[in-house]
Amino acid sequence: MADARRTSIAPAVPAAPAVPVPPSSRRSSGPLDAPGVRRRYWLVVTALAALATVFAAGLLAWDNPMPFGSRGFWLIAELRATNVVVMLLVAFCQALATVGFQTVTNNRIITPSIMGFESLYVAVQTSAVYFLGAAGLVAFQGTRQFVLQVALMVGFSLALYGWLLSGRYGNLHVMLLVGIVIGGGLGSVSAFMQRLLTPSDFDVLAARLFGSVANADPDYFPVAIPLALVAGALLWGRARRLDVVALGRDAATSLGVAHRAETMRVLFLVSILMAVSTAMVGPMTFFGFLVATLAYQFAGTHDHRYVFPVAVLSGFVVLAGAYFTMRHVFYAEGVVSIIIELVGGSVFLLVILRKGRL
């Protein structure tokens, strides 16, 4: 009884007060799960945005012969602004399309260019000169030609995807191989027609077969900009689904994502973006690969919500920086696409040699 009474009247031991955990030491999970990682990401974004602003301002104002602030200065800057808009549009299309394409194909090496988009562009341009002549090609310039090229490229991709991703052909790797074969076949047909052209017609054609900002026409903007913005916004809005698709078919299906349907939607949006970019400035085979590779290195994460902005900024910095340097330092603006292709191709070979496989 005494022991029971002593136990019942024993004073309760107060609980130790909760020690607040400082925010810097709290654990979290996510794409940027540490303060250092978040700080690095935003520093990279800020640096890329600053470089993009500097290069854009340099392209508009550097070596402008008119006094700053005068009417002539702004007229020249307005003319140059067309090229800046084209560079931003191409960087936006190529960056989003390449990152999305590499995600659904689960391969960091291949790009949408491998599917024959650029070969189809070359075939359309060569056929126009072959059947209509240089005068016919010049007369056919404008929005009609742009819309026709975009429609042909998107229709070609949809036919290829619908055929090879449905039924018993439902194999993404077979689709890639068939795309390579079709691209090679179109390239061979184009080369055959080019050999039959007169020297004057071939000179007119050759100027359009190199990717260049000079190929773009401001008349394309009312069609190209809305198409690119709508397709890019839809692809950007699917960033979380792309994170799941990147896990693979089985994992995505188990998490409730219809892998094949999602792949078709992404490839459709990719085809629109690539068609707009290629029809606007011409083929730039390794530009998208270079931009996507830099984006993954700079972002430090695989979350598409963070990779997409870095990819677009990296693309604009590479394109605008290359044009500014070659135009105002080396006075060789016409070789910008060649330099970009050379650097992108070198990076492509280095990545393959490091990975040891496609």
Side-chain angles (χ1 to χ4, degrees), residues 113-123 156 160 175-191:
S113 300
I114 204 172
M115 295 300 299
F117 282 102
E118 295 175 356
S119 298
L120 184 61
Y121 171 84
V122 172
F156 165 77
L160 186 64
M175 183 193 72
L176 297 176
L177 292 175
V178 172
I180 294 173
V181 173
I182 292 177
L186 290 174
S188 299
V189 173
S190 301

Side-chain angles (χ1 to χ4, degrees), residues 302-358:
H302 299 282
D303 193 318
H304 290 77
R305 293 173 300 165
Y306 298 95
V307 175
F308 279 150
V310 176
V312 174
L313 288 173
S314 300
F316 182 76
V317 168
V318 168
L319 199 56
Y323 268 89
F324 180 84
T325 302
M326 299 306 296
R327 179 177 183 178
H328 298 292
V329 178
F330 298 102
Y331 303 101
E333 184 179 357
V335 300
V336 171
S337 60
I338 300 176
I339 299 300
I340 291 177
E341 296 299 283
L342 177 62
V343 175
S346 301
V347 174
F348 180 81
L349 292 177
L350 289 175
V351 172
I352 288 180
L353 292 175
R354 288 182 59 187
K355 293 175 69 70
R357 61 182 178 85
L358 288 176

